[in-house]
Each structure stands twice: as C-alpha cells, then as structure tokens.
Amino acid sequence: MTDFITPSTQLKSRKSAEQRFRWYGRGAIFVSLAFLVVMVGSILYKGSGAFTTTDVAIVVDLGPDAVDPANPQDARFEKIVKDALKARFPEATKRADRRKLYGLVSNDAGFELERFVLANPDAIGTQARVWFRASDDFDILLKGTVDRDVDESERRLSDQEIGWIDRLVADGDVKRGFNWSFFTNGDSREPELAGILSALVGSALTLLVCFCFSFPVGILAAIYLEEFAPKNRFSDIIEVNINNLAAVPSIVFGLLGLSMLLNTFGMPRSSPLVGGLVLSLMTLPTIIIAARASLRAVPPSIREAALGMGASPVQATFHHVAPLALPGILTGTIVGMAQALGETAPLLMIGMVAFIVDVPQSILEPATALPVQIFLWADAPERAFLEKTSAAIIVLLLSLITMNLLAIVLRRRFEKRF
Amino acid sequence: MSKTAIISAKDVNVFYGEKQALDKINLDIPENKVTSLIGPSGCGKSTFLRSINRMNDLVDICRVEGSITIKGQDIYAPEVDVVALRAKVGMVFQKPNPFPKSIYENVAYGPKIHGLAKSKTDMDEIVEWSLIKAGLWKEVKDRLDQPGTGLSGGQQQRLCIARTIAVKPQVVLMDEPCSALDPIATAIIEELIDELRSNFTIVIVTHSMQQAARVSQRTAFFHLGELVESGSTKTIFTSPEDERTQNYIMGRIG
Ligand SMILES: Nc1ncnc2c1ncn2[C@@H]1O[C@H](COP(=O)(O)OP(=O)(O)O)[C@@H](O)[C@H]1O
Ligand SMILES: [Mg+2]
C-alpha cells in the first residue's frame, strides 16, 4: 500500500506556521482582555465603597426648649445635634476634643435633623433617635480603607475618635446602607455628601446640545457630499479637510470655543450650551465620515431603481438610500457621542470645571460633566474622594456601555437586507 | 422616419469623457412593438438604452449629442424635466433590484411619487393591476406586506416590471432583464414581454440571440459603438445585409 497523500516537509512547516499564528492571536486577545479585567476590576474594587454609606444614630432632645412646636423650622438644629453629641460622649470637654466630636457626623447634620423634624412632627417634644450621615473619615475607617494600626501621629483619626466610633458600633448605633444620595446629590466639599447627579445632568445636557447640533449638520453634510456634490478638486479638498478635522486634538477645539463662543459671541461660560457646541466640533467629522461610509455602502442599484422610476434625487436619497444607511449612521453617531461623553480637555478650557452643587436646570446654567467631575475628585485631598472617583468612573463606564448597547439595538432594529 | 415610430434617434453620439461610446446612431423604434438591441459586449447597447430615459445624466462624464425624440418631443431639450421623462419611459435593470420594502410598497412607490392614486382603493387597484400584468399576482397576493427582497430572482424581476408599469409609462426599457435568471424564470419573463407589448413599447437589450428572435419584432445590431443594421427581426436573422451582422449571428464574433 502506497501513501496517497504524503505529508511533505513543506506542508509540515506550513501547518506549524498556521498553528503558531493562531496562538499569537489567542495571546493577543488574552493580553488585551487581561488589561481590561485589571482595569475594570481595580475600579470596581476601589469604587464599590462609594455605593454604601455609614450612618450613626444619636438621641437628640427635641423638647420644648429646643424646638418650638409652633415654629419648628426656627429651631437651631445644628446646636441640637451638637448638644446631643456632647450628651452621648460627655468625656469630651476640651474645645479641641469637642470640635473632633462634632466632626463625627457630616456638616449636613443640622439640615438632616431639620428634614427629620419637619417630616415627623410627632417627634417634637420627645427624645428622638435620629440617624445622621457619618463623616467621611469614620466612613472609610469602618470600610477598612484606612489602617487603624499605623501610628496615631500618621492617622487622621486619633485613638479617641476611633474609640467613639467603636462604642457606637458596639451599641448598635451604626448602620450601613446603599448610598442613594450619591445619585441624588450634586458635588460637595464633604465626600460623604458628594453626589454625581449634577455632573450626570451636566453631561446629559451637554450631549443633548452636541447631538442636536452635530447630528443634523453631520448628516446633511454627509448626504450632500456623498449624493449630490459634483466630484471635483474642490470636493476632494473638503474631504481631506474633514478627515483632518477628525484628527485635531480636542483641546484645540476647547481653545476655539473659548475665543469664539465665549469671548466673541459672549455665550454663558461653563454652560452645557458652549460645552455641547465645542464637543460638536469633535463629533461632526466622526458623524460625517461614518455617515458617508454607510451611504457609500448602499448598493447603487437602489439609487438607479428609484431614479429610473422617476424619483427626484432628493426623493431617491430620502426614501431609499438614507433609510438603508441609517443603522450605520446611527452607530457612527453614537460612537461620536460616546467619545464626546468621555472628553475632558475642551470642557476645561471653557470653564466647565467649576464646583457645581446644584443640578443645572437648563443649558445656560453653569454645569460640569462626568469626566470633569472625575478629574476634580481625583484631585481632591480627602481620602474618601478616592472611592468617589472610582465610583464616578463606574458611572461613566456604565453610561458608555449603555450608549453602545443602544447602538447595537438600533442597528439590529433598522438593519435591512438589500 | 416611419409613421409608427414613437422613439426616433438622429445622429446620436455619446461620449464618456474623451471616449466615444456611440457613433452617429440613427434608429426609429416603433410603437407597441418589442425592439431588441443586440451586439457584442461593450458595443454600446446599454449606453443607447440609457440615453432614451436619460439615465446617462447620472454619469458625470457622459455627454450626449444629436437628438432623441419621443412622440416628436426632443427629450434632451432644456425644458424637459427628467423626472417626468422617466415616468413615461420606465426601466428594468439587469440585476433585479427591488427596494428593501414590502411587495406592496415596491409597486406603490412610483404611483405615489407621481400622484397617480387619489385614494387607498385607487392605489390597491393600481398595485393589483400591475402585479397581474407582470404575472406575479397569483404568487404574491397573500403576502403583499412581505419584503420584495424575499422573492426568488425571477419573481423579483417580475416585481421590478410590475413596479415599472405601475406608473403607466409609454415605453419600457429593459437592459438584459434575464441575464441573472435561470431558464424557467427567463421563459416566464419572455412570455410576459410578449403580453406587455400590447400596452407598452418595449426596448430590450439582450446578449442572447435566441431571446431576441423569440421576443422581438424589430432588431438592431450594434458593433463597436455603431449601429450596423436594423430591421424586422426576421430579416436580421435570416438575411442580414452586413457581413458583421452575419458573423455575429453565426456566432463568429461576440
Ligand atoms: N460609466 C461609464 N464610464 C466610462 N465608460 C463607460 C461607462 N459606461 C460604459 N462605458 C463604456 O462605453 C462602452 C459601451 O458600454 P455599454 O453601453 O455598457 O456596452 P454594452 O451594454 O453593449 O455591453 C464600453 O466601452 C464601456 O467601457
Ligand atoms: Mg450592457
């Protein structure tokens, strides 16, 4: 019996080359996945703490001396809280110790009590046990973020303060809860009160402006260039310049926004309007390029069919070509929007880096954006802002994932066979 | 010019940039007959066909000289609206190209943009009439809402014919309508062309001489951008005058 198919040495080396390539490919995928896992993992690990809070229960005296039942809102709530803390830990008598004691709860404690009293009028006149947000140092201590075994001189919390919180824990006066206020508050100097809402709304308003400007302009430009413009040297120059525009560093657009929109046109500084317009300059080329590519991918036979029926070029474009290109156009737009969402530098240039506590109500009010908020928190000295930074990154990543999912859903939805 | 000619081409030259694709074409196309354009590949059949409904306008570098008249009207006159022209001169392409929409919408599209239907019932009637004329009604009447792209190749091509005749054109141009189809689908379309002749003037480009012989009454033979010979199909196929025609028909060039 003779070998019908004899494996030659050349065949063997070809086969091993084939195998080797596959392993290189798998290796490349593994390396990039590993990076992703490490990055996401570390962010999740660091940020997860920000989604829980520490609250401490203090018994406050809401007797007639402290709160007037007729005018509860006039009570000096901050003093009531301080008195309650003094009563809880009477050993703190020195001024410095007292100040530390008051720092057990957040600066907002007075307002928290006011809200409690106004919501529970029955409590007036009684000794009420009220939950207060613990301040950030105690919060991260209990989360184990800071090590209590280092020397006292190198800790922010003294042994005395740690003793207080341990007693509260032992008495069952400390609880952990989901940090809803992270999603309902604006920024704050106090990490335990700082929330993402103002930045989230700022980003949403900025993206809205960006979308409303760049989507129609981008699509009209793409359709005109692709379907109507004569192909000559002039249209070549335009094409090259649009591609160049896509490569311009974003900070340059920020400078342009600063000098044109703010200084020349006098638009409101730090506003989502200006931020959105500046980001539009970045997203426009992305949208135009993606839209042109998907228009070009529509088979010419569809255009011929429509024109051969006596459709005008505009009808052929809007009835037949553009709908077929829509999935690609939407994907490109969302990719552009996602880039805009993550963009920081140009927003810094136009002043969207301000400290914004209130949620912006319109596109003309000062606002900040998610990536800028991350930048601000990352720069903050308080240790507790570390986890806020990671938490804000998680929110930003989730927003990006949502946008990409939206892109996939839209593409599935509108995709048609030719 | 014969009395019954509906389309009349006089000294038509077509250029693509510097390159001349058609050279002094003179051809009369009679009404309510099937005229086939035959000739070897690249000889300008499609170019001539596309100059009859001015699809050549879409090619930037294309330039047409001479005159083409339809019912005595010069279609290249400045006042002519190409949109109106193409409503009167429909076209069926080589590769079936239904819109990626429902069967109904495919047929209704032309009447809709030209405002031919006053009501939904009007439109339903036009769609039904066109599909019946295109011999497709029986096969699709229960699934008009399904995509036209889901039909077989032959059905798609008949859908394209239905879509074209829904606008009630006077002339239907067909550029190798069967070249992408199997023999059975081809036979169905050939039969259809024969029936459509009573309502429309048909000009068909074909590379199959058998097809030209089967479906057409008139034949024009093109060679290297020239119109070599035209006449009744029978004459062209049985006693061609020009040697080139003879050679082509005998299968010696092509
Ligand atoms: N869009 C175009 N641009 C440039 N040249 C073209 C174009 N269309 C056709 N031609 C040229 O015109 C000549 C005739 O083409 P065509 O009419 O398509 O021939 P046929 O349909 O008989 O095969 C060919 O030489 C072809 O290369
Ligand atoms: Mg051809």
Side-chain angles (χ1 to χ4, degrees):
Chain A
M1 199 176 79
T2 56
D3 268 350
F4 175 53
I5 304 166
T6 328
S8 65
T9 46
Q10 193 240 349
L11 245 181
K12 264 185 208 150
S13 75
R14 228 165 73 184
K15 200 169 169 189
S16 60
E18 194 96 350
Q19 289 297 329
R20 230 180 304 131
F21 177 77
R22 275 164 210 228
W23 282 110
Y24 291 157
R26 285 175 199 143
I29 289 176
F30 176 78
V31 169
S32 36
L33 275 185
F35 273 120
L36 193 71
V37 166
V38 167
M39 187 194 82
V40 172
S42 84
I43 287 170
L44 283 180
Y45 174 71
K46 283 192 207 143
S48 57
F51 295 105
T52 57
T53 54
T54 305
D55 290 312
V56 295
I58 311 283
V59 177
V60 291
D61 175 21
L62 301 177
D65 292 343
V67 184
D68 176 5
N71 295 309
Q73 67 277 5
D74 289 343
R76 295 173 57 205
F77 293 102
E78 210 163 322
K79 183 169 178 303
I80 300 175
V81 176
K82 286 180 178 169
D83 289 343
L85 284 167
K86 274 188 281 187
R88 184 78 168 79
F89 299 107
E91 70 271 23
T93 46
K94 277 187 267 159
R95 271 180 71 104
D97 289 349
R98 286 233 173 116
R99 199 146 1 103
K100 281 185 189 161
L101 181 61
Y102 301 154
L104 193 65
V105 294
S106 91
N107 274 5
D108 234 15
F111 296 108
E112 277 181 279
L113 183 61
E114 178 174 2
R115 255 177 278 141
F116 172 81
V117 168
L118 296 183
N120 304 287
D122 297 348
I124 296 172
T126 64
Q127 302 283 320
R129 187 163 175 265
V130 180
W131 288 99
F132 294 98
R133 178 66 43 89
S135 80
D136 52 318
D137 287 329
F138 295 96
D139 182 44
I140 56 175
L141 177 80
L142 291 180
K143 282 172 187 160
T145 317
V146 288
D147 188 359
R148 53 171 78 202
D149 295 333
V150 294
D151 194 64
E152 185 176 9
S153 60
E154 285 169 24
R155 267 191 263 122
R156 270 182 64 83
L157 293 178
S158 64
D159 287 342
Q160 189 187 25
E161 290 174 288
I162 294 181
W164 291 334
I165 196 80
D166 285 345
R167 261 163 69 196
L168 284 170
V169 173
D171 295 348
D173 284 337
V174 172
K175 72 170 182 190
R176 307 292 291 275
F178 186 75
N179 189 1
W180 290 109
S181 63
F182 183 66
F183 298 99
T184 56
N185 283 2
D187 196 7
S188 169
R189 297 280 181 227
E190 308 299 327
E192 71 272 17
L193 299 174
I196 196 83
L197 186 65
S198 57
L200 205 55
V201 172
S203 266
L205 289 175
T206 308
L207 279 194
L208 188 73
V209 172
C210 178
F211 178 82
C212 290
F213 182 75
S214 57
F215 186 68
V217 173
I219 288 202
L220 285 178
I223 288 183
Y224 181 76
L225 286 174
E226 201 54 39
E227 303 289 323
F228 297 95
K231 306 276 176 282
N232 53 27
R233 174 161 305 172
F234 186 63
S235 59
D236 286 347
I237 291 175
I238 290 180
E239 164 133 35
V240 168
N241 280 299
I242 287 175
N243 293 342
N244 284 342
L245 209 57
V248 171
S250 56
I251 192 141
V252 177
F253 291 124
L255 280 169
L256 184 72
L258 177 65
S259 67
M260 291 296 293
L261 301 176
L262 295 183
N263 296 346
T264 310
F265 297 130
M267 289 183 177
R269 172 171 271 279
S270 311
S271 64
L273 175 66
V274 177
L277 288 178
V278 166
L279 293 181
S280 294
L281 295 174
M282 289 182 46
T283 37
L284 254 181
T286 312
I287 294 181
I288 294 178
I289 292 170
R292 290 189 70 178
S294 42
L295 285 168
R296 214 172 301 145
V298 175
S301 65
I302 298 288
R303 279 178 203 98
E304 285 203 318
L307 294 170
M309 299 287 307
S312 66
V314 169
Q315 284 174 328
T317 301
F318 284 93
H319 294 166
H320 301 289
V321 179
L324 287 175
L326 198 60
I329 294 177
L330 288 177
T331 311
T333 306
I334 291 176
V335 168
M337 289 289 138
Q339 281 171 1
L341 177 62
E343 201 51 65
T344 323
L347 300 185
L348 300 183
M349 300 306 302
I350 55 136
M352 282 184 83
V353 64
F355 172 67
I356 306 291
V357 177
D358 296 322
V359 173
Q361 302 294 320
S362 80
I363 56 169
L364 299 176
E365 284 173 25
T368 188
L370 275 175
V372 182
Q373 188 72 74
I374 292 169
F375 171 78
L376 286 172
W377 282 348
D379 220 25
E382 287 87 351
R383 190 74 191 276
F385 271 123
L386 204 68
E387 58 180 29
K388 296 277 162 184
T389 309
S390 293
I393 294 175
I394 293 173
V395 171
L396 180 63
L397 289 181
L398 282 179
S399 315
L400 288 171
I401 291 172
T402 314
M403 288 175 79
N404 285 329
L405 283 180
L406 188 71
I408 293 172
V409 168
L410 285 175
R411 197 165 49 211
R412 289 266 165 82
R413 183 87 182 273
F414 288 108
E415 208 147 58
K416 282 187 180 159
R417 276 168 297 129
F418 294 124
Chain B
M1 193 208 288
S2 71
K3 268 208 198 107
T4 55
I6 177 169
I7 305 170
S8 175
K10 276 216 193 73
D11 293 333
V12 172
N13 295 322
V14 179
F15 300 86
Y16 290 109
E18 294 295 296
K19 183 171 173 287
Q20 186 162 10
L22 287 179
D23 186 17
K24 285 222 164 27
I25 305 296
N26 285 287
L27 181 65
D28 282 349
I29 292 170
E31 194 160 11
N32 289 10
K33 290 218 161 55
V34 179
T35 303
S36 57
L37 312 180
I38 60 170
S41 175
C43 67
K45 310 178 294 288
S46 298
T47 301
F48 181 69
L49 195 73
R50 292 164 66 91
S51 56
I52 301 177
N53 70 344
R54 291 184 58 175
M55 284 300 271
N56 278 341
D57 291 13
L58 302 181
V59 181
D60 282 340
I61 54 168
C62 183
R63 185 160 51 87
V64 179
E65 286 175 359
S67 89
I68 297 178
T69 56
I70 298 183
K71 294 208 156 168
Q73 195 181 1
D74 183 357
I75 60 165
Y76 281 90
E79 69 274 11
V80 168
D81 182 354
V82 280
V83 166
L85 170 70
R86 290 181 194 146
K88 293 280 178 206
V89 185
M91 186 154 197
V92 175
F93 298 84
Q94 184 165 355
K95 204 169 137 266
N97 56 354
F99 301 124
K101 298 180 190 267
S102 74
I103 294 172
Y104 185 95
E105 285 172 299
N106 259 284
V107 184
Y109 182 67
K112 194 173 92 194
I113 58 172
H114 295 296
L116 299 184
K118 288 182 189 62
S119 64
K120 176 86 174 77
T121 16
D122 264 9
M123 186 61 91
D124 289 347
E125 261 168 43
I126 295 178
V127 170
E128 183 174 346
W129 177 87
S130 314
L131 286 169
I132 290 175
K133 274 275 165 192
L136 196 59
W137 178 249
K138 282 207 195 87
E139 290 154 68
V140 301
K141 66 172 189 290
D142 298 323
R143 46 171 173 152
L144 292 175
D145 54 344
Q146 282 171 32
T149 39
L151 298 171
S152 75
Q155 288 174 323
Q156 286 190 16
Q157 196 60 301
R158 278 181 281 150
L159 179 61
C160 292
I161 293 175
R163 174 179 77 181
T164 307
I165 60 181
V167 196
K168 309 242 163 78
Q170 311 241 319
V171 181
V172 177
L173 309 175
M174 299 184 175
D175 193 348
E176 306 198 27
C178 302
S179 64
L181 305 182
D182 63 77
I184 295 172
T186 303
I188 296 175
I189 298 222
E190 284 179 4
E191 224 170 275
L192 177 62
I193 291 172
D194 205 47
E195 282 164 27
L196 290 175
R197 163 161 74 95
S198 51
N199 296 78
F200 310 99
T201 301
I202 296 174
V203 186
I204 176 172
V205 169
T206 173
H207 61 253
S208 147
M209 280 168 292
Q210 291 86 336
Q211 185 169 67
R214 282 195 297 265
V215 301
S216 69
Q217 288 76 53
R218 309 278 302 175
T219 296
F221 172 65
F222 285 71
H223 189 242
L224 297 176
E226 277 176 56
L227 174 63
V228 175
E229 199 171 344
S230 70
S232 87
T233 300
K234 208 185 233 161
T235 322
I236 296 283
F237 278 89
T238 53
S239 47
E241 283 170 13
D242 197 287
E243 199 186 335
R244 287 168 293 178
T245 321
Q246 280 171 19
N247 287 340
Y248 183 70
I249 297 202
M250 308 293 281
R252 265 172 274 169
I253 46 175

